[in-house]
Amino acid sequence: MSHSFSLISTLAIGFAIAWALGFVMERIKVPALVGYLLAGIIISPATPGFVGDVGIAGQLSEIGVMLLMFGVGLHFSLTDLLRVKKIAVPGAILQMGLATALGALLAHCWDWPWGQSIVFGLCLSCASTVVLLKGLESRRLLESHDGQIAVGWLVVEDIMTVLILVLLPPLAFMMGSSQQEVSSAEPLWEIILWTLARVFGFIALMLIVGKRLLPWLLRQVAKTGSRELFTLSVLVFAIGIAYGAAEIFRVSFALGAFFSGMVMRESRYSHRAAIESLPLRDAFSVIFFVGVGMMFDPGILIEQPLHVLAVLAIIILGKGLVAFFLVLLFRYPLHTAITVSASLAQIGEFSFILAALGIQLGILPQEGMSLVLASAIISIALNPFAFASADFVRAFIKKHWAFARRMDARTDPMSLMPDDVDSEFLRGHIVLIGDGEKGEKILSLLLERNLSVVVIDENRTNVESLRGRKINAVCGEASDPAILIQAHIQDAALVIMAVENEITCRKIMETARLLNTKIEAIMPAGTDEEALRLKEENVAASFVPDDLLAKAIVQFAMERYGRQEEEARITKESQEIKKALDRGAL
């Protein structure tokens, strides 16, 4: 058998080393992706031993980005994107501009020409979508409002980076390119116009045609009952549309896959599509991190350690602080600012693409690519720790700075009860925590019975929507005493927690009972044992969703069975009466 199969050998050895190092990292309480990055370095050309195929790894990494972005699109609707546009669009543009300026100034201090400095700054301005999603998933923030803002922010960054990639070649001669052929005879305004037309043409096509066509196609495939055909359909939509978007509209693979998933969300089979593609997304995301590690030359850490530290300072501290203050400037709470800043304190795939294009056009030295790769590796490895320390950072700065306390959720106007609410009305009311799908169903049932309700939710948009429906709502974390006080917890009769997290619910009830010792509580439980334990410890009356479903099914069956018995009895009596009439007995 031939041993020249570079694809098979790269996958087999790369996966094996990544699995081993990922397992070790998890055992020592370090994120597994650090092990994946180390696996890439081990099989890279810069280290002795087996050398994987960098080109193949890079292409497989692109597939991972497509599948991951497709999965994000399945959970991120157009409505979600529009909800965060007021902060995501201006925030991403300002943050990219300021980060580019910081990177350019740093490079110019190294005596680089301004053209090279600007390209280097652009490489530091765009964060990795893959790393962002992994960080949000690990903290269970992907579907939260903070997570939606971070993802929307990255989507805008992706769109901006696509424009930069298209505009860079014709502008290269203005930035000191050593290659004469990169200049373009077309006017700059015409290039920009066509670029914008292509990007927004693709988005319009997906939202107008794709939004109707793709769900219909998936529904037809689902009717065949073939599981493998359904999985193949998901891959075709994710990878095929991403490739077509790149070839026809010149947008990135990531952006094409994202909008493909977003329009597929309209199908009732979107949840199944997400589950079917999950194993592939996980596998190819591992390849992405291995591929990043393969491009890294450890020699840069020895040759230019101060340069690497300076670039890291811009990526982690500079970008993080810029995003932090921009979010606060838009009047969002402190926890949102910390989440977004942690999300953006790294660089990734688009940085590599920009750096490679800069070298190809002769407007970025090879040193720039080495610094970008070194900084990306380290910032990606450190990013999970940034997410893990978010709660500690928030508590620390709130404790030591009055400014942070003012900027916390309590300063958010949505965290204050509207002035026109009658405080007498809020006595003996119900406080409902969490306004997701389950919370909305509970709220509808409570309102149908004309019960007094106050909703607590961390999503500002949800709170604004509820207030628009004349429903009392407060924005913030329910474990914060100030938020509970705004919901008049001291006068409430009952707390209903539509939150499936026992630790969070316990924390909420601990605070609530300090403010109202007589308050009663209801919360969901994962198992019968958990429900019994919560009841015995007097935390809350709890229910198991599966038990409720079973009871509802049995109740429906009994009602149906009872109706059939009644119908049979009436039919039998009618027949007896008819017979009696025929006999003349009546």
Side-chain angles (χ1 to χ4, degrees):
M1 180 180 290
S2 172
H3 294 281
S4 62
F5 299 110
S6 57
L7 171 61
I8 296 175
S9 59
T10 300
L11 281 177
I13 297 177
F15 271 141
I17 298 175
W19 167 77
L21 293 179
F23 177 76
V24 172
M25 293 298 113
E26 286 290 342
R27 293 288 292 180
I28 62 175
K29 306 301 181 182
V30 174
L33 68 85
V34 177
Y36 308 152
L37 292 169
L38 292 175
I41 296 174
I42 290 173
I43 65 173
S44 72
T47 56
F50 172 79
V51 177
D53 192 315
V54 178
I56 287 178
Q59 292 188 47
L60 293 175
S61 298
E62 286 288 358
I63 297 176
V65 172
M66 293 181 208
L67 293 174
L68 197 63
M69 289 303 294
F70 178 77
V72 174
L74 285 172
H75 296 92
F76 197 89
S77 67
L78 178 62
T79 304
D80 296 331
L81 193 57
L82 294 176
R83 281 176 177 175
V84 300
K85 69 180 185 299
K86 292 181 180 179
I87 181 174
V89 175
I93 294 173
L94 286 172
Q95 182 263 320
M96 288 187 72
L98 292 171
T100 300
L102 289 173
L105 288 173
L106 176 65
H108 194 62
C109 291
W110 299 334
D111 296 326
W112 290 18
W114 275 114
Q116 295 182 2
S117 301
I118 292 172
V119 174
F120 183 71
L122 288 170
C123 292
L124 306 185
S125 67
C126 44
S128 168
T129 307
V130 180
V131 177
L132 165 73
L133 297 175
K134 285 293 182 182
L136 292 176
E137 286 178 349
S138 67
R139 301 286 291 173
R140 298 182 180 179
L141 293 173
L142 187 56
E143 296 184 7
S144 68
H145 190 51
D146 291 354
Q148 290 175 354
I149 291 175
V151 172
W153 195 299
L154 259 292
V155 169
V156 176
E157 277 196 4
D158 286 350
I159 294 173
M160 294 298 299
T161 309
V162 169
L163 296 177
I164 292 169
L165 289 171
V166 177
L167 293 173
L168 200 56
L171 293 176
F173 73 97
M174 298 173 55
M175 306 179 74
S177 172
S178 58
Q179 303 178 20
Q180 296 300 321
E181 62 269 19
V182 297
S183 61
S184 174
E186 297 180 5
L188 182 60
W189 67 267
E190 187 174 331
I191 295 170
I192 296 175
L193 183 64
W194 276 112
T195 301
L196 292 173
R198 285 197 297 265
V199 172
F200 290 108
F202 166 73
I203 295 174
L205 180 66
M206 292 301 296
L207 296 181
I208 296 173
V209 179
K211 191 174 183 179
R212 294 170 174 80
L213 180 61
L214 294 187
W216 181 82
L217 289 173
L218 195 64
R219 187 164 61 251
Q220 303 310 310
V221 172
K223 288 179 180 179
T224 66
S226 173
R227 179 176 178 180
E228 60 269 21
L229 189 60
F230 186 90
T231 304
L232 181 60
S233 301
V234 174
L235 291 177
V236 168
F237 294 147
I239 300 175
I241 291 177
Y243 175 75
E247 287 294 312
I248 300 172
F249 294 94
R250 297 293 188 268
V251 303
S252 69
F253 291 133
L255 195 64
F258 172 80
F259 276 96
S260 172
M262 198 169 73
V263 298
M264 283 283 294
R265 189 178 189 270
E266 303 301 320
S267 170
R268 66 191 183 113
Y269 298 101
S270 60
H271 181 66
R272 180 181 170 188
I275 294 175
E276 296 287 350
S277 62
L278 183 60
L280 285 171
R281 295 205 310 267
D282 288 342
F284 279 99
S285 67
V286 171
I287 295 176
F288 167 78
F289 291 110
V290 173
V292 171
M294 291 176 67
M295 293 187 289
F296 177 54
D297 182 6
I300 191 71
L301 300 175
I302 301 173
E303 297 168 5
Q304 295 180 327
L306 295 180
H307 283 37
V308 174
L309 288 175
V311 175
L312 278 174
I314 289 179
I315 295 171
I316 298 176
L317 297 178
K319 285 177 59 180
L321 289 174
V322 165
F324 178 82
F325 287 110
L326 282 175
V327 173
L328 292 182
L329 187 65
F330 285 102
R331 297 186 60 79
Y332 278 79
L334 185 64
H335 61 82
T336 302
I338 292 175
T339 299
V340 174
S341 61
S343 301
L344 301 176
Q346 39 83 14
I347 60 173
E349 59 274 11
F350 271 124
S351 301
F352 312 145
I353 297 171
L354 271 173
L357 181 61
I359 290 176
Q360 178 186 341
L361 296 173
I363 49 176
L364 186 69
Q366 186 61 44
E367 178 188 351
M369 172 62 91
S370 299
L371 288 171
V372 167
L373 286 173
S375 304
I377 293 285
I378 299 173
S379 65
I380 287 173
L382 293 177
N383 195 247
F385 299 102
F387 274 104
S389 62
D391 293 338
F392 170 78
V393 171
R394 182 185 178 194
F396 180 83
I397 61 177
K398 281 173 61 177
K399 180 179 179 180
H400 292 86
W401 285 284
F403 168 78
R405 290 192 290 273
R406 291 196 302 271
M407 292 297 104
D408 201 16
R410 287 172 289 183
T411 65
D412 185 351
M414 290 291 107
S415 69
L416 303 175
M417 191 66 74
D419 295 333
D420 57 354
V421 175
D422 184 2
S423 60
E424 292 297 323
F425 174 75
L426 295 178
R427 291 186 181 277
H429 59 285
I430 298 171
V431 176
L432 174 62
I433 299 171
D435 189 45
E437 184 178 346
K438 293 180 180 178
E440 183 64 36
K441 292 178 180 178
I442 295 172
L443 177 62
S444 298
L445 293 172
L446 295 175
L447 294 178
E448 284 178 7
R449 290 159 176 76
N450 297 317
L451 297 173
S452 174
V453 184
V454 176
V455 179
I456 298 179
D457 197 296
E458 294 183 33
N459 190 322
R460 289 176 93 247
T461 307
N462 286 348
V463 172
E464 290 176 359
S465 175
L466 290 169
R467 291 186 180 183
R469 293 159 54 191
K470 305 300 181 183
I471 298 171
N472 294 315
V474 178
C475 180
E477 290 187 11
S479 59
D480 188 336
I483 299 300
L484 289 174
I485 290 172
Q486 280 295 319
H488 291 247
I489 193 71
Q490 62 275 16
D491 299 317
L494 178 66
V495 172
I496 299 178
M497 291 173 282
V499 181
E500 293 187 5
N501 187 313
E502 182 182 346
I503 296 175
T504 301
C505 291
R506 284 177 177 272
K507 189 176 180 181
I508 292 170
M509 286 312 303
E510 182 181 347
T511 307
R513 288 208 166 103
L514 290 175
L515 300 169
N516 184 344
T517 56
K518 298 180 180 180
I519 193 76
E520 297 291 337
I522 301 175
M523 61 175 285
T527 62
D528 292 330
E529 293 76 10
E530 181 182 328
L532 181 61
R533 184 174 67 254
L534 291 169
K535 183 178 180 181
E536 290 176 347
E537 296 177 9
N538 195 30
V539 176
S542 58
F543 58 88
V544 181
D546 290 343
D547 287 351
L548 289 181
L549 177 61
K551 290 176 182 178
I553 291 173
V554 171
Q555 182 178 356
F556 176 81
M558 292 300 293
E559 290 175 356
R560 182 64 180 168
Y561 175 75
R563 284 198 299 269
Q564 288 177 341
E565 277 194 329
E566 182 67 15
E567 290 170 0
R569 184 183 62 79
I570 294 173
T571 302
K572 182 178 180 180
E573 290 179 354
S574 299
Q575 290 173 348
E576 291 176 351
I577 292 172
K578 185 176 182 300
K579 290 179 181 178
L581 288 171
D582 292 340
R583 294 195 308 268
L586 292 176

